[in-house]
């Protein structure tokens, strides 16, 4: 998959990201800083040092707290300090090997360091490989707000290596599935069916099996994401984006939990709420809504959280309007695979309480059954 | 002057920047944060509050230390916090009213806040009006390095109001003259002559007189700057830039002085050194070199600093190479108004010691005469 327009870049599925010819060619001509997350350092550190660590201090582990709480400007500064210590010049490159947080931090650091250097990404999580690692965006959390500061800075190269998912904890796989469900709901009913069919094996094998399906699901999800970004990589064409499905209520929900709720979990709750609102507004058939809730639930993802109050939902709507240039652009579902945007805050507002209650009841009955 | 390509923007000379129709039209449709420097707050605060302060908390004074030592990421964060407090949305705008530092900070903040909002600039210093406030660049100092982190983020509107220079301290005017001399040396012999002719009055009146010449010098200097940026606003076409004249040794010199040396003073020293090197390499006629040194000196600007060691000069050359994508691209002078780029580090290196000695002697004899 080649991607982008201004700032074209390559996104490739590969068998061994640490020994990729295109990456080697990129690094061969430049000074490079390799940035890894603490988890990646622990699990893949020796392989990474073998592959890239020829120059002293070339591999930098971000030692700040991992996960969203570590996605701070101070971590960006750590990366920039590492780049200065390596005397990275303007033609230098920074490589992120890690999850969405690591990719986000490196993207912001690469955009600021000497007013912008190249960067490459090897996402090591499912979320990274089908969502967070693919676009032009980077961000840090600031003043308690998720992604309040950030940039558009397309990578030069993204390598997707499914074998890296083998060592992921199950909850990370689940979070990736939430984003795959989002993409499927937004644009691909067959992808949704494939996840329904193979969910158990995909989850248990961490996307190493079933052979054809695991590959197909990740590649199609990534391709759908890239198609959705295409032509609007810098969000300067439209703020009406199908990929915003699941991303209206989730940022506020994550922040309200102090980032105890993972991004994918918050997305799952957001998707569930939007499915129920879609049904209540007469957009989505009742059986389709039920399929959505069941798939999310079967993946071990939440459809509801006690933190999710009506007030929080309303704050989130206002924040989404601010973020989307003054209009709501709420992605709801007409059917599985087709988004419909709602602009009326009043219409949504009217359904929030009942929808939350419905989810709470569904949740309770699901817990009672299981 | 309309400027730019991607991200076109207007740079206009106006009589009253605080009551400008284009700015009012821009602010009328949007939430706006007005950022002022402490000096501007003190001198122009009430006028600015009268003009813009209709919304509570709309005018934010950056209370961190003024000047280069305050050009930190922490000051950028202060601006972003102010924007969050005002609930600035994605269509919001941030307005800088201040010198180059204030413009730089606002540019970086506007590029990061919600991944980029609009900004406008009303530069209140001569440097800001003919140089620092005109381009697409913003930056902060980091880890002891000048402008180590930054961005390209073109403004939406720049208003140049010469009346604002009236209250500037003389050393600020001098720093602006250093940048005007740079622009003249790089591209306009007539501008150089105009400064030579009117220097005394320009300086004493803070560019309020002589009437025609003051206006002409500032407008022509600004136009030459914009012409030099045109087509290469993002520095993605070339790193061989005439406007880098005076900006090879100066960043290291400023940083080495702990920013006690002002930017314009460091630029003056850099220009003087490059003029002498140009002469020693046979590029620039001896009389022309003398004119350059005399004009700098007459403006009350330094041509030499005791901090300026050979080692510092060599470090600066290496840093310039890193910054300019691996090549030196040293702007030297063939004549007043014409730049010639030198790529050979050895050729420059060979002249540094003698050139510094020559300047030290010129400096001593000038001091002895005065």
């Amino acid at each position: 998959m080649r991607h982008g327009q201004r700032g074209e870049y390559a996104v490739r599925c590969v068998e061994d990201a640490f020994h990729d010819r295109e990456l080697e060619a990129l690094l061969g001509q430049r000074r490079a800083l390799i940035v890894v997350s603490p988890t990646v350092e622990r699990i893949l550190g020796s392989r990474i040092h073998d592959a890239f660590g020829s120059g002293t201090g070339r591999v930098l582990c971000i030692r700040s707290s991992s996960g969203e709480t570590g996605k701070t400007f101070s971590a960006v500064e750590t990366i920039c300090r590492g780049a200065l210590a390596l005397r990275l010049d303007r033609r230098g490159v920074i490589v992120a090997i890690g999850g969405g947080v690591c990719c986000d931090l490196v993207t912001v650091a690469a955009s600021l360091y000497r007013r912008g250097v190249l960067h490459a990404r090897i996402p090591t999580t499912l979320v990274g490989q089908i969502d967070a690692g693919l676009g032009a965006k980077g961000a840090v959390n600031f003043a308690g707000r998720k992604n309040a500061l950030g940039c558009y800075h397309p990578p030069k190269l993204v390598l997707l290596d499914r074998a890296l998912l083998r060592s992921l904890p199950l909850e990370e796989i689940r979070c990736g599935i939430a984003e795959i469900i989002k993409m499927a709901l937004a644009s691909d009913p067959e992808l949704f069916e494939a996840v329904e069919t193979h969910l158990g094996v995909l989850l248990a094998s961490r996307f190493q099996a079933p052979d054809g399906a695991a590959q197909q699901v990740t590649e199609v999800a990534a391709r759908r994401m890239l198609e959705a970004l295409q032509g609007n990589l810098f969000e300067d064409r439209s703020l009406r984006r199908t990929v915003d499905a699941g991303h209206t209520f989730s940022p506020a929900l994550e922040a309200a939990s102090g980032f105890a709720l993972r991004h994918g979990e918050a997305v799952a709750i957001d998707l569930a709420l939007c499915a129920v609102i879609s049904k209540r507004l007469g957009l989505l058939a009742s059986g389709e809504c039920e399929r959505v809730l069941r798939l999310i639930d079967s993946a071990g993802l939440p459809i509801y959280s006690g933190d999710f109050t009506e007030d929080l939902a309303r704050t989130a709507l206002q924040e989404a309007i601010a973020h989307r240039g003054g209009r709501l652009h709420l992605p709801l579902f007409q059917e599985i695979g087709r988004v419909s945007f709602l602009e009326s805050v009043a219409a949504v507002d009217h359904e929030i309480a009942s929808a939350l209650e419905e989810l709470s009841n569904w949740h309770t009955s699901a817990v009672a059954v299981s």
Side-chain angles (χ1 to χ4, degrees), chain A residues 226-239:
Chain A
L226 290 170
E227 284 165 2
L229 297 175
Q230 187 85 38
N232 191 31
L233 197 59
F234 300 88
E235 298 179 358
D236 48 2
R237 299 278 173 81
S238 173
L239 293 171

Side-chain angles (χ1 to χ4, degrees), chain A residues 227-277:
Chain A
E227 284 165 2
L229 297 175
Q230 187 85 38
N232 191 31
L233 197 59
F234 300 88
E235 298 179 358
D236 48 2
R237 299 278 173 81
S238 173
L239 293 171
R240 204 167 169 150
R241 303 164 68 237
T242 56
V243 293
D244 276 345
H247 290 72
T248 303
F249 302 100
S250 55
L253 202 50
E254 267 184 275
S257 78
F259 300 106
L261 206 62
R262 282 158 185 270
H263 178 66
E265 293 166 349
V267 167
I269 294 170
D270 185 316
L271 291 173
L273 180 67
C274 287
V276 171
I277 291 175

